[in-house]
Amino acid sequence: MPTSSSGSLSLAAARRIALAAQGFASAPPSGTPTRRTVLKVLDSTRLLQLDSVSAVVRAHYAPVFSRIGAYDRALLDEAAWGHTARRPRQLIEYWAHEAALIPVEDWPLMRWRMVQYRHGRWNGMRQVLERNPALADDVLGVVKECGSSTAGEIERHLELDRPRAKDNWGWNYSDTKVVCEALFAAGELTVPKRVGFQRHYDLAANVLPPEVLSREPDEADAVRELVRRAARAHGIGTETDLRDYYRLNRRQTEPAIADLLDTGELERVTVAGWDKPAYLHAEARTPRRVTGAALLCPFDPLIFFRDRTERLFDFHYRIEIYTPEHKRVHGYYVFPFLLDGELVARVDLRAERGTGRLLVPGAFAEPGRDHPRVAAALAAALRDMAGWLELDTVEVGEKGDLAPALRREIA
C-alpha cells in the first residue's frame, strides 16, 4: 500500500498514482502496435469518449496515441465497428462518461441507465417521442427489415412507405434522427458501424453476444461495478472523481464506495492540499517517478474532469470551442502537454490535411517552467503526432509565451 501509517499522501504521490492508473507509467510497446496493444489501453481507461470535433483527430483516437505512440487507427475502428467470427467486436458505443466506446462486456452495466432513458435522454427528445407516438415502432420495423441503417436511410424508407402530405412534413429528418438516438439511449438500438463518423443503427440483439444481452444486473450491483472500474482507472480519487467518470450521482456512488471500503478494495486516505477525502484502489501502484511526454486531447480520460485536473496538476483548463474567437485565451482546440508527470504547457492545434501541415497557432508554458526544456520535448511530441497523422510539417504561430522557443526547436 502506497500510504503512510496515518493514511496520508503527498500530492506528488497522488499524481503519480493517477498517471500510473491511466497507463502513463508503463513502458512504451516494443514493435508495431497491434489490436491487442490498442485494447490494452482500455484496460486502464475503461472508456474512450467520442466527439465530433476533428480539428486534429477524432477524440477517441487521441488517448490511445498519447499512451502507446503512433498506431494504425484502423485497429481501433475494427475493434469498435467491425465484427467477424475470428475477430469479434471488442468495443461498443453507449452513454458512459458522455458518448463513449466501452468494452462490450460493460454494456449490461448500463441497463439501469437505459431504463432511465426509455422515454428519452433529454426533454426535447421526449417531446419528439410524444409528438410522434408511432415513430419508434416504425423505426424499429425498418431496422428489423433492412438491418443496419443510417437515420437518413430509415427516413427515406419511411417516406417511401408513407409519403408526406405537402402541407405537413410530419416525420422530418431531425425527428427520425432523434428517435434513432432515443432508441439507442434506451438500449434497443446500438451502433455496429460508422462510415465517415456517421452512425449506422441496428438492433442490439443483432450486434451484441447473447451472453452480454442476457445479463441484467440490478442498479446497485451495476453501479458498484462502475465505481470499481472508475476507482481502478483513477488509482486515487475523491467521491466526485469516481462519480464523474461514468456520470453517476452521489446517491449512487456513496453506497458503492462504502461497499468497496468494506471489502478492502478501496482505502480512505487524505491527500495534501485536497479538501475532500480520497479513495485509494487496493491495486493502485505508486511509481517512483513518471517520465515521458504526451499531448492530451481535451477529452482524454486523464483530464476530462476539469476539477480533478486542477486538483492533481494545478492546471486550470477549459475547452474554448464554444467561446467566441475574440474571447479565447488559449485557442480553439487546445492540448495540454504532459512531461515527466506534470502538465507543463498547452498548445492550440489544427491538422490541415490539404496542405500536409500540423498548425500550432498558439503555445503557452505554465508559470515557472523552463521554456527551452519544455519546447524541446514539445517539438519532438509534435513531430511524432504529425508523423502519426501523415502530415509533412509542423508550423508554429505567434501566439503564446512558448511560441518563440518552440519555433526555434521546430526550425
Side-chain angles (χ1 to χ4, degrees), residues 50-61 197 297-299 319 321-322 332-335 349-350 353:
L50 295 161
D51 190 82
S52 61
V53 176
S54 58
V56 179
V57 66
R58 299 283 186 191
H60 57 290
Y61 296 122
F197 208 62
C297 88
F299 304 104
I319 193 166
I321 289 173
Y322 304 110
Y332 176 78
Y333 204 63
V334 174
F335 281 56
L349 296 180
R350 302 281 191 291
R353 291 167 181 83

Side-chain angles (χ1 to χ4, degrees), residues 16-24 44-45 231-236 285:
R16 295 196 303 274
I17 291 168
L19 288 164
Q22 280 284 313
F24 287 103
S44 300
T45 67
R232 187 185 294 274
H234 282 88
I236 188 169
R285 64 189 184 94

Side-chain angles (χ1 to χ4, degrees), residues 20-96:
Q22 280 284 313
F24 287 103
S26 302
S30 58
T32 303
T34 64
R35 178 183 173 113
R36 178 174 295 182
T37 315
V38 169
L39 290 173
K40 190 171 176 55
V41 173
L42 273 293
D43 291 343
S44 300
T45 67
R46 298 308 301 181
L47 55 82
L48 295 171
Q49 187 172 339
L50 295 161
D51 190 82
S52 61
V53 176
S54 58
V56 179
V57 66
R58 299 283 186 191
H60 57 290
Y61 296 122
V64 180
F65 171 73
S66 298
R67 288 157 178 79
I68 67 170
Y71 71 101
D72 183 352
R73 296 193 292 281
L75 294 171
L76 185 55
D77 291 342
E78 291 165 3
W81 299 300
H83 178 81
T84 65
R86 186 169 173 269
R87 292 166 73 85
R89 185 187 318 276
Q90 298 292 307
L91 304 174
I92 196 75
E93 293 188 36
Y94 192 65
W95 293 100

Side-chain angles (χ1 to χ4, degrees), residues 8 40 56 60 125 168 179 205 217 225 235 272 292 311 347 351 369 371:
S8 63
K40 190 171 176 55
V56 179
H60 57 290
M125 186 177 283
N168 183 0
V179 168
E225 285 297 322
R311 202 182 325 116
V347 282
R369 300 297 178 178
H371 285 206

Side-chain angles (χ1 to χ4, degrees), residues 29-344:
S30 58
T32 303
T34 64
R35 178 183 173 113
R36 178 174 295 182
T37 315
V38 169
L39 290 173
K40 190 171 176 55
V41 173
L42 273 293
D43 291 343
S44 300
T45 67
R46 298 308 301 181
L47 55 82
L48 295 171
Q49 187 172 339
L50 295 161
D51 190 82
S52 61
V53 176
S54 58
V56 179
V57 66
R58 299 283 186 191
H60 57 290
Y61 296 122
V64 180
F65 171 73
S66 298
R67 288 157 178 79
I68 67 170
Y71 71 101
D72 183 352
R73 296 193 292 281
L75 294 171
L76 185 55
D77 291 342
E78 291 165 3
W81 299 300
H83 178 81
T84 65
R86 186 169 173 269
R87 292 166 73 85
R89 185 187 318 276
Q90 298 292 307
L91 304 174
I92 196 75
E93 293 188 36
Y94 192 65
W95 293 100
H97 179 74
E98 292 291 333
L101 294 173
I102 59 175
V104 166
E105 64 267 21
D106 285 1
W107 187 86
L109 300 178
M110 301 295 177
R111 282 190 177 275
W112 59 272
R113 180 167 284 163
M114 295 170 194
V115 172
Q116 285 185 352
Y117 290 164
R118 66 188 181 280
H119 301 304
R121 198 171 61 84
W122 38 274
N123 189 51
M125 186 177 283
R126 288 188 285 274
Q127 291 174 356
V128 169
L129 291 168
E130 290 167 2
R131 188 167 67 244
N132 302 282
L135 185 52
D137 286 340
D138 291 335
V139 167
L140 289 171
V142 171
V143 175
K144 287 176 184 176
E145 179 182 345
C146 300
S148 176
S149 307
T150 66
E153 290 167 342
I154 294 168
E155 171 95 13
R156 288 191 289 275
H157 194 94
L158 291 172
E159 285 179 342
L160 287 171
D161 285 349
R162 296 178 180 140
R164 291 172 172 149
K166 292 182 180 179
D167 61 345
N168 183 0
W169 280 95
W171 301 324
N172 59 39
Y173 173 85
S174 61
D175 278 5
T176 304
K177 173 65 175 177
V178 166
V179 168
C180 288
E181 286 295 303
L183 292 167
F184 167 70
E188 296 191 61
L189 296 180
T190 191
V191 181
K193 68 177 179 177
R194 282 181 182 253
V195 178
F197 208 62
Q198 185 177 31
R199 278 175 168 162
H200 288 239
Y201 301 93
D202 201 350
L203 302 177
N206 291 343
V207 177
L208 293 162
E211 63 272 17
V212 171
L213 282 167
S214 64
R215 286 177 52 210
E216 296 188 13
D218 66 27
E219 180 176 338
D221 290 341
V223 167
R224 189 183 310 108
E225 285 297 322
L226 292 174
V227 172
R228 181 179 283 120
R229 282 157 170 70
R232 187 185 294 274
H234 282 88
I236 188 169
T238 65
E239 182 272 331
T240 52
D241 295 337
L242 302 184
R243 186 199 317 170
D244 178 79
Y245 210 70
Y246 288 101
R247 292 291 201 251
L248 305 170
N249 62 54
R250 189 169 187 168
R251 172 189 61 80
Q252 294 173 307
T253 53
E254 287 187 338
I257 289 170
D259 287 348
L260 296 172
L261 287 169
D262 286 344
T263 62
E265 294 173 78
L266 294 183
E267 178 186 354
R268 181 173 167 144
V269 298
T270 60
V271 175
W274 290 11
D275 60 0
K276 299 176 181 178
Y279 299 96
L280 179 69
H281 193 276
E283 296 178 8
R285 64 189 184 94
T286 314
R288 291 184 179 275
R289 58 196 300 254
V290 176
T291 59
L295 287 158
L296 306 176
C297 88
F299 304 104
D300 192 290
L302 179 68
I303 59 168
F304 59 31
F305 186 31
R306 310 307 185 203
D307 289 351
R308 176 175 170 84
T309 302
E310 191 155 0
R311 202 182 325 116
L312 268 176
F313 296 100
D314 190 25
F315 188 89
H316 181 78
Y317 180 52
R318 297 293 183 272
I319 193 166
E320 298 180 276
I321 289 173
Y322 304 110
T323 302
E325 185 172 0
H326 69 282
K327 292 185 178 180
R328 290 176 191 147
V329 177
H330 297 110
Y332 176 78
Y333 204 63
V334 174
F335 281 56
F337 181 51
L338 178 70
L339 179 62
D340 295 340
E342 297 184 309
L343 295 179
V344 298

